[in-house]
Amino acid sequence: MIAKRRGAVINLSSTAAFQPLAYTTLYAATKSLVTSFSMALAEEVRPYGLRVVTLCPGGTRTNFFQASQYGTRDFKIPGGMQSPHEVVEAALTKLDRGGGLVICGWFNRVSVFSQRLAPRALVARLAARVFKV
Ligand SMILES: NC(=O)c1ccc[n+]([C@@H]2O[C@H](COP(=O)([O-])OP(=O)(O)OC[C@H]3O[C@@H](n4cnc5c(N)ncnc54)[C@H](OP(=O)(O)O)[C@@H]3O)[C@@H](O)[C@H]2O)c1
């Protein structure tokens, strides 16, 4: 892509990237890595005209939760679930605009922003209550 000075990448991260999540500990940590990696990569390849989208959906109606340790349990995601269509649309819109970080859905954007103003230990404690298996 760099040689051709043409191309785009969408890295699929998650709102799980923005706070420690007890009970889904490693998943959240790997999503922090994806977000950090992807946003740094975006800056490295920007001079070559390449676009990178760092896509951070919140709860999305896929097979994800059924396949996870939460199984078919009635798991209430704060802010509710989005459709895969909404998430893909947000990613492609961002790509059209040159790439960048996308946090899908207004509730998730407010939540991620407000967590930056709170003590990290408090955020970790509250998140643990939501994600307790
Ligand atoms: N759903 C959400 O609430 C949510 C929120 C934020 C981020 N995400 C992210 O979205 C991405 C896709 O998840 P999803 O929601 O679409 O979940 P999903 O419905 O469970 O789909 C996961 C997909 O990954 C494939 N897969 C799993 N392990 C694999 C492996 N080792 N090698 C190759 N493919 C593998 C599965 O293939 P098989 O069907 O063949 O097993 C399936 O197609 C994940 O990165 C997830 O972290 C999801």
Side-chain angles (χ1 to χ4, degrees):
M1 287 184 189
I2 286 174
K4 292 184 175 170
R5 292 182 175 259
R6 192 165 61 85
V9 176
I10 298 176
N11 285 314
L12 188 40
S13 187
S14 167
T15 51
F18 297 103
Q19 66 286 295
L21 287 182
Y23 309 103
T24 184
T25 312
L26 192 55
Y27 174 76
T30 60
K31 291 302 186 184
S32 296
L33 183 151
V34 172
T35 297
S36 175
F37 163 80
S38 183
M39 292 184 72
L41 180 71
E43 297 310 316
E44 283 190 27
V45 300
R46 186 189 299 281
Y48 302 96
L50 307 185
R51 293 166 296 158
V52 178
V53 171
T54 305
L55 180 60
C56 295
T60 308
R61 283 186 293 276
T62 66
N63 193 44
F64 180 82
F65 285 99
Q66 285 77 1
S68 77
Q69 74 268 34
Y70 299 101
T72 52
R73 200 187 80 164
D74 187 21
F75 185 69
K76 290 274 183 291
I77 280 281
M81 297 276 210
Q82 285 194 295
S83 70
H85 181 92
E86 288 172 295
V87 172
V88 170
E89 196 166 45
L92 296 180
T93 300
K94 197 70 174 181
L95 191 60
D96 279 347
R97 293 177 182 165
L101 176 70
V102 188
I103 299 169
C104 302
W106 69 266
F107 180 90
N108 293 322
R109 286 193 288 278
V110 170
S111 166
V112 166
F113 180 77
S114 57
Q115 285 172 29
R116 290 166 60 192
L117 308 174
R120 285 168 66 84
L122 176 66
V123 171
R125 183 149 321 165
L126 293 177
R129 287 196 194 164
V130 175
F131 281 82
K132 190 160 179 32
V133 182

